[in-house]
Amino acid sequence: MKAYDGFEVLVQEYREGILENIHYGAITVVNDKGEVIHQVGNPDHETYLRSAAKPFQALPAMKRNVDEVYGLTSAETALFAASHRGEDYHIEALLSIAKKTGIREEQLYCCATYPLNEDAKAERLRNREEKRRIFHNCSGKHMGLIALAKHMGWDESTYYELSHPIQQEIIQSLAELAEVPVEKIGIGIDGCGLPVHTLPLNRIALAYLKLANPDMIQDETTRKAAAKIAQRMNENPNMIADRKFVCSALLKDPNIVAKGGAKGVYGIGLRKERIGISLKVSDGSEAVWPVIIATILERIGYDNQETIDRLYEVVPNTIYNDGGLVVGERKAVFNWS
């Protein structure tokens, strides 16, 4: 089918043999020389990282060892890079961070909401609880930034503003890993209110490659910070999302560092293979991430079948109706050069 705006067909969904949905997008794979070795669509397509930026947004705090300053556990630190789904164990860890750092919930700039996880949301509603800022999927990131501001003696009340030292350092760190000039990084406002950044897909792939392989990072402080946050993500995969989400399924594999973002963007770094992968689903669908990523891993000959199987468990290729009847299938149909 015809490509458009640098996107090509990635996934087709069929119901009783009839094509029902088509998901367009782009995929880029780079090696440790920064060369594009596989592509679907335009590797120069520029997109917002959204929550795929969170590991990089955590780097300033990791550089100052904020976790050690406040005595945070590995699991609590992982929340700095998480899009948590609001399960009980997430909230317990967030409350622990607040207690250890002295952060008040009203300091969080993200809005009050209910948990993303439907079961967790239903439990809060059954208990007649009100929306809270701590339930927001980005609350761990916000706590990490406030903790850094508190430690550095910076203004805690404006940590979310683009002019704040934290936000300026985040942009510098992202530019360093992606190897792009700071002025080439586009800036918008994310769902949680923080600045959000744009990069071409090939630069996102390179940044994730370095996150997985920090020996590629020249600056020693940044190198150690990247290694630490990546390690915390692998040590606590269920903190990054929840028990049944693609990020957690990938992070259970110690060879992979991965994080998705809203509107279909995803970044992956592979340690042993020393490659970086990025993808963008043009319609913003997250439901087709598993089949796309599993297919990518299959095509590069990835040797951990358990990881691939976990992805297919998150969202099976078989499509069921509400009553559990098999009614269709989804297929990854992309070819790459």
Side-chain angles (χ1 to χ4, degrees), residues 90 113 167 254 298 300:
H90 292 128
T113 185
Q167 298 301 332
E298 289 169 343
I300 65 172

Side-chain angles (χ1 to χ4, degrees), residues 175-190:
E176 178 184 356
L177 268 68
E179 297 183 13
V180 297
V182 169
E183 60 270 18
K184 293 292 186 180
I185 297 177
I187 304 292
I189 299 176
D190 211 344

